[in-house]
Amino acid sequence: MKTLIYSEFERLWKRKWFWLLIICTPVLVYSTGIYILHTLRVPVEVLSRNFIVAGLRENLYLICNFAVATLVAAVFTEEFRSGQLRLLFMRRFTRGQIFWSKLLVVNTSILLLLIVYAISSQIIVVVWRFSHNINGMGIFGQIWLQAFEYYGWAFASLLAISSLYSFIAMCSKSVTYAIGICMTYNLGVLLFDPLYLKLAAVFSSIPLLKNLVTFLLIPYLQYKGLDQSLIWNWSVNGAIVIAVLFHLIFFTGWAYRRFTADDYLY
């Protein structure tokens, strides 16, 4: 199994677009900082205190989800539809082992990108502090705790949506179809949120159920829910945990079933 996991990592890391994705992460962080400073007109003194969280908040529900969709489509759909998996099936590994190794590679890569994003954000904050003579401890102390908490929730949400995207990838005819369907879902959730917010309002007397209906769609959870999670409201945090677990169990299970089906290559 270790050999299989290593092989999956090696195949992904040999692809130039993956390293381009990592290289573009600091560029994305810098562009986000410029956008917040000059378009949203947030003073650099204020932004430097919470940029590590504010920067990710701006990109999580759209650009980060797009990166996850690209990873999933490349790792699953491309090999799934091109016939490359036949070579693996001829070896001693089971289809289940291959599926879990691929999912591990995707989720580990997501964690790596988040770490690169956090480090890049802090480097930019340090540059701002030196160039503008801003005093403060940056990410340490209370800001560090909030950042760690927010990134933990963000990682959980990306794991959840990678499970959904894996299922979509198993049902897609090509990488283009997979990415297109994933992003159509993502944009649709954000554009038509008044519809399910009205549905959630029906359960206003039961806070946990109301929040669960609201945050069951992961892009909206990332857009609004993670900010509310930082205040530690039990109904909000409970709903987020249930929504994440639902995606991890239900959609991962369906993707696994599809991947291990005997007739999917025909």
Side-chain angles (χ1 to χ4, degrees), residues 7-129:
S7 175
E8 292 293 339
F9 273 113
E10 188 177 35
R11 278 210 301 276
L12 177 63
W13 291 354
K14 280 183 177 179
R15 303 186 183 190
K16 294 179 181 179
W17 65 262
F18 177 73
W19 292 105
L20 181 63
L21 197 62
I22 293 178
I23 293 172
C24 287
T25 300
V27 178
L28 174 64
V29 174
Y30 177 76
S31 301
T32 303
I34 296 300
Y35 167 76
I36 296 175
L37 285 174
H38 298 289
T39 303
L40 301 183
R41 299 187 181 279
V42 177
V44 66
E45 295 82 2
V46 175
L47 183 59
S48 64
R49 298 192 193 110
N50 66 347
F51 178 65
I52 192 168
V53 171
L56 181 60
R57 184 188 292 120
E58 291 292 328
N59 295 300
L60 182 62
Y61 55 86
L62 191 59
I63 296 180
C64 291
N65 285 346
F66 176 76
V68 172
T70 303
L71 279 170
V72 169
V75 172
F76 283 102
T77 307
E78 184 178 358
E79 296 183 357
F80 185 77
R81 292 299 179 184
S82 65
Q84 296 177 35
L85 291 178
R86 289 188 178 93
L87 298 176
L88 284 176
F89 291 157
M90 293 172 63
R91 299 169 68 179
R92 65 183 183 275
F93 305 114
T94 67
R95 296 187 180 190
Q97 289 176 326
I98 295 170
F99 173 82
W100 292 118
S101 65
K102 287 182 176 297
L103 192 63
L104 176 63
V105 167
V106 169
N107 292 336
T108 303
S109 300
I110 292 171
L111 179 60
L112 174 62
L113 289 170
L114 274 180
I115 292 173
V116 173
Y117 195 101
I119 294 174
S120 302
S121 298
Q122 185 58 20
I123 290 174
I124 289 179
V125 168
V126 171
V127 171
W128 284 342
R129 290 188 179 279

